Amino acid sequence: MLSPEEDAFGAALADHLAGRPGPDLILDVDDGHETAAMPPAAFFLPAEAWSPDERAVLAEAHGGPVLDLGAGAGRHSLWFQDRGHEVTAVDASPGAVEVCRARGVRDARLADLTDPPADRRWATVLLMCGNLGLAGGRDETRALLSRLAAVCAGDAVVVADTVDPTLLTDDHSRAHRARNEAAGRPGATRLRLRYGEIATPWWDLLNVPVADVAPLVEGTGWTVATHRVATVDHYVVLRRA
């Protein structure tokens, strides 16, 4: 698990929750490129500030028990919990888990996001904020979806989103995409977060093109029920096959 010196995300969320000023949250790419990460405030947005596509796919969820993988500050967990559903929020960031608990998420757990808990038969699984590809690669993502199918109810849904890397047209994104394709890692990117002197370990994230969602999901125990394409972001609802 992350130490305090590694938990940049958790530290940023904790400072925002406490109203403490802090440095910018920075997203590093392993080719030396850096950019501003999503600001901590975005992880606390109320439902009325979510995009129409996000609200639409969440409305297709079957209810609880809900498994929120990569829960962040718990905005989705709280939304379902406030509607009377049992919710388990899971994050790999100790600080994020503490923020979830402080905000009222009743079951918030620190755990490996690629090893979903099996103590309930989940009716809804959330992989939001780009987390469809949190396992890091195509094979790893398919393996995670298969593991989720094994611990979910027969009529369960997965609600997820991701970024289409082919629509990122700036010079850095094009060069980075070409480098990863040449290395046999299409769609994958290696990232870390920095918050002042705190830096996470590097991790891999898979960004999934729109055209690749159905082939990615095929044979994992899920089918694509809904696919909403916004701009670069797109949202999917998967149902048990």
Side-chain angles (χ1 to χ4, degrees), residues 13-168:
L13 294 182
D15 280 349
H16 182 82
L17 180 65
R20 293 187 294 262
D24 291 337
L25 191 60
I26 302 299
L27 186 66
D28 288 331
V29 185
D30 68 347
D31 59 8
H33 183 76
E34 66 177 54
T35 188
M38 187 180 295
F43 297 92
F44 293 80
L45 288 174
E48 57 267 23
W50 303 348
S51 75
D53 292 296
E54 185 173 4
R55 293 197 300 269
V57 292
L58 288 168
E60 295 191 42
H62 282 177
V66 177
L67 176 62
D68 188 359
L69 285 178
R75 63 187 179 102
H76 296 119
S77 290
L78 288 168
W79 187 81
F80 279 97
Q81 187 175 279
D82 288 346
R83 281 151 183 78
H85 302 302
E86 293 183 22
V87 179
T88 296
V90 179
D91 209 285
S93 158
V97 171
E98 289 306 314
V99 166
C100 283
R101 291 170 177 163
R103 297 185 72 209
V105 177
R106 289 189 284 271
D107 183 7
R109 307 181 190 181
L110 179 66
D112 180 351
L113 300 180
T114 65
D115 186 18
D119 55 312
R120 290 178 175 84
R121 295 290 286 177
W122 308 104
T124 297
V125 177
L126 306 179
L127 291 168
M128 300 298 288
C129 199
N131 282 341
L132 177 61
L134 65 80
R138 185 180 187 277
D139 291 344
E140 292 84 356
T141 299
R142 286 177 53 80
L144 174 59
L145 290 172
S146 295
R147 286 194 290 273
L148 286 170
V151 298
C152 282
D155 60 348
V157 298
V158 172
V159 184
D161 68 359
T162 186
V163 168
D164 188 333
T166 67
L167 300 180
L168 298 172

Side-chain angles (χ1 to χ4, degrees), residues 214-238:
L216 177 73
V217 170
E218 185 177 5
T220 65
W222 302 93
T223 60
V224 179
T226 300
H227 195 174
R228 296 178 68 95
V229 180
T231 51
V232 172
D233 300 307
H234 52 117
Y235 299 81
V236 296
V237 178
L238 310 180

